[in-house]
C-alpha cells in the first residue's frame, strides 16, 4: 500500500474479528512508526502501553468501556494506550536532545545552531519559559491525583501524541489491520508513572466489516475549511487534482455506500448486537 492508499483506506473501524490475533510484528511496526514522528521542542514525549484483550479480566474489560466505546472493545484483540510524559521536557532541560540534533547536522550551524546557542538561548528562552509558564492546567495523570503543569507544556505534549496517533493509524492500515482511536476508562488497569498524561487509546484488529466500512466518512466542504492568500478566499479545489487522488485511492466514495445498512444488519446478527 502506498501513502495515498493508506490515507484513503483509513477509517475508524468499529467491527473487528474477535477471534483473530494481530501479529506482534505488526504492533511493533505501528510503534516503530510513532518513534519517527516530528518531536515538538526536540523532545520525546510519546509513550505507549500495549495490552492484549485476552489478558484482562472480564471486570477490567467492562471497566474500560465509555459511552463512545462499547462493543468494539470486546471485538478488538489489542489495545494501545497512548500517553505524553509531562516530565520529558524538564528531563531535557540540559539541552542534550538539541545538542544531539546539532551534532548529527539536523539543526545546522547555517541556521544558528551550536551547543552555545542551545545553552545560552534556546534552553533559557524557550524551554525555561515553557516550563515556568505561570498559566497552568490541572492534569489528570495516569497514576493518581491531578497535578498542575504549564499550559504551554501540555499543549506541546498533546501535539506530540496527536502526530503519533496519525502515524500509528496510517501504519496500521498499511500493515493490513483496522484501528479506531477511542476514549477508554483506563485508570483501573494503569500502573504507569504519574507524569504520563493519558491520551486517546487505539483499538487494533482485523476488520470484521468491509474495508470500505460504508465509505469515507462525511467531512465539511473543502472550501469551507481551507483558504489561500488571506482568510475569506477559499483555496480553489481543482477537480483534476481530485480525479488524480481518486485514481490513487486516496479519495474514495463517500459514506453511505448503498449496501451499508445491510452490512450493519449482517454484522449485528453475526455478533448478537442490537439492530
Ligand atoms: C482523538 C480522537 C478520539 C476519538 N475517540 C472516539 C471515541 O471515543 N469513540 C468513537 O467511536 N470514535 C472516536 N474517534 C473517531 C471519530 O469518531 C472519527 O474519526 C470520525 O467519526 C470520522 O470518521 P473516520 O475516522 O472513519 O474518518 C476519535 C477520533 C479522534 C481523532
Amino acid at each position: 500500500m502506498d501513502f495515498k492508499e493508506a490515507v484513503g483506506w483509513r477509517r475508524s473501524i468499529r467491527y473487528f474479528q474477535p477471534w483473530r490475533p494481530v501479529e506482534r510484528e505488526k504492533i511493533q511496526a505501528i510503534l516503530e512508526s510513532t518513534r519517527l514522528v516530528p518531536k515538538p521542542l526536540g523532545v520525546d514525549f510519546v509513550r505507549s502501553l500495549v495490552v492484549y484483550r485476552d489478558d484482562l479480566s472480564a471486570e477490567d474489560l467492562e471497566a474500560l468501556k465509555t459511552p463512545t466505546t462499547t462493543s468494539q472493545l470486546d471485538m478488538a484483540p489489542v489495545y494501545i494506550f497512548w500517553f505524553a510524559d509531562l516530565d520529558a521536557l524538564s528531563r531535557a532541560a540540559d539541552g542534550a536532545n538539541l545538542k544531539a540534533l546539532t551534532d548529527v547536522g539536523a539543526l545546522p550551524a547555517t541556521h544558528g545552531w551550536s551547543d552555545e546557542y542551545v545553552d545560552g538561548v534556546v534552553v533559557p528562552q524557550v524551554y525555561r519559559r515553557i516550563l515556568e509558564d505561570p498559566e497552568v492546567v490541572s492534569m489528570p495523570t495516569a497514576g493518581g491525583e491531578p497535578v498542575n503543569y504549564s499550559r504551554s507544556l501540555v499543549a506541546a505534549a498533546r501535539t506530540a501524541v496527536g502526530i503519533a496517533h496519525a502515524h500509528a493509524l496510517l501504519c496500521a492500515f498499511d500493515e493490513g489491520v483496522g484501528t479506531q482511536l477511542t476514549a477508554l476508562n483506563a485508570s483501573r488497569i494503569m500502573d504507569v508513572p504519574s507524569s504520563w498524561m493519558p491520551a486517546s487509546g487505539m483499538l487494533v484488529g482485523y476488520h470484521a466489516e468491509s474495508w470500505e466500512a460504508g465509505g469515507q466518512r462525511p467531512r465539511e466542504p473543502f472550501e469551507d475549511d481551507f483558504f489561500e492568500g488571506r482568510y475569506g478566499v477559499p483555496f480553489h479545489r481543482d477537480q483534476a487534482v481530485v480525479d488524480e487522488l481518486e485514481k490513487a485511492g486516496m479519495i474514495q466514495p463517500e459514506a453511505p455506500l448503498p449496501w451499508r445498512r445491510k452490512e450493519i444488519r449482517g454484522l449485528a446478527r453475526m455478533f448478537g448486537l442490537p439492530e
Side-chain angles (χ1 to χ4, degrees):
M1 196 178 277
D2 76 10
F3 173 76
K4 291 193 178 77
E5 285 174 314
V7 172
W9 282 110
R10 189 209 59 78
R11 309 272 190 281
S12 292
I13 295 300
R14 294 187 174 84
Y15 300 90
F16 300 94
Q17 297 174 35
W19 52 84
R20 186 170 174 190
V22 176
E23 295 81 349
R24 198 172 170 283
E25 53 268 30
K26 295 194 174 194
I27 301 298
Q28 183 177 340
I30 292 169
L31 302 178
E32 299 273 2
S33 79
T34 68
R35 248 185 105 229
L36 300 174
V37 294
K39 311 191 283 186
L41 304 163
V43 169
D44 295 278
F45 282 104
V46 179
R47 308 283 182 267
S48 74
L49 174 65
V50 177
V51 172
Y52 302 95
R53 177 200 57 207
D54 294 345
D55 293 344
L56 295 179
S57 67
E59 300 77 61
D60 283 347
L61 188 62
E62 211 43 45
L64 282 173
K65 292 183 179 171
T66 71
T68 58
T69 312
T70 55
S71 310
Q72 61 265 52
L73 209 61
D74 298 322
M75 297 182 210
V78 184
Y79 315 141
I80 307 181
F81 296 97
W82 295 100
F83 309 85
D85 184 356
L86 295 174
D87 283 347
L89 182 60
S90 36
R91 276 199 303 275
D94 59 1
N97 286 13
L98 297 175
K99 289 175 193 166
L101 290 168
T102 309
D103 276 351
V104 298
L107 296 175
T110 50
H111 291 43
W113 289 94
S114 66
D115 286 1
E116 295 69 41
Y117 186 68
V118 168
D119 288 332
V121 179
V122 182
V123 168
Q125 290 187 23
V126 182
Y127 278 17
R128 284 273 152 231
R129 274 198 196 163
I130 289 174
L131 286 168
E132 288 154 21
D133 181 354
E135 279 202 54
V136 292
V137 262
S138 175
M139 293 310 303
T141 51
E145 291 297 301
V147 178
N148 284 345
Y149 280 97
S150 116
R151 184 179 291 280
S152 28
L153 167 68
V154 171
R158 283 219 170 95
T159 302
V161 188
I163 300 173
H165 276 154
H167 269 216
L169 291 171
L170 295 177
C171 186
F173 285 87
D174 185 59
E175 288 289 331
V177 290
T179 59
Q180 188 211 329
L181 281 177
T182 200
L184 293 166
N185 253 337
S187 50
R188 184 182 158 116
I189 63 159
M190 290 300 174
D191 185 17
V192 296
S194 61
S195 61
W196 288 20
M197 172 179 71
S200 295
M202 209 171 131
L203 311 179
V204 189
Y206 281 93
H207 295 62
E209 57 188 313
S210 60
W211 273 64
E212 286 81 0
Q216 275 182 338
R217 278 68 194 267
R219 294 292 189 267
E220 291 181 340
F222 183 90
E223 283 147 340
D224 283 5
D225 289 346
F226 305 115
F227 302 90
E228 194 166 20
R230 65 181 166 81
Y231 171 70
V233 180
F235 189 104
H236 169 66
R237 194 180 198 201
D238 183 346
Q239 187 55 42
V241 176
V242 173
D243 293 346
E244 277 306 308
L245 295 175
E246 282 176 354
K247 250 192 261 154
M250 184 167 132
I251 299 179
Q252 300 188 8
E254 269 181 35
L257 298 181
W259 41 272
R260 179 60 169 170
R261 275 184 201 287
K262 287 187 183 161
E263 182 183 28
I264 291 180
R265 206 171 308 138
L267 288 160
R269 288 182 191 162
M270 178 165 76
F271 288 113
L273 297 170
E275 288 185 35

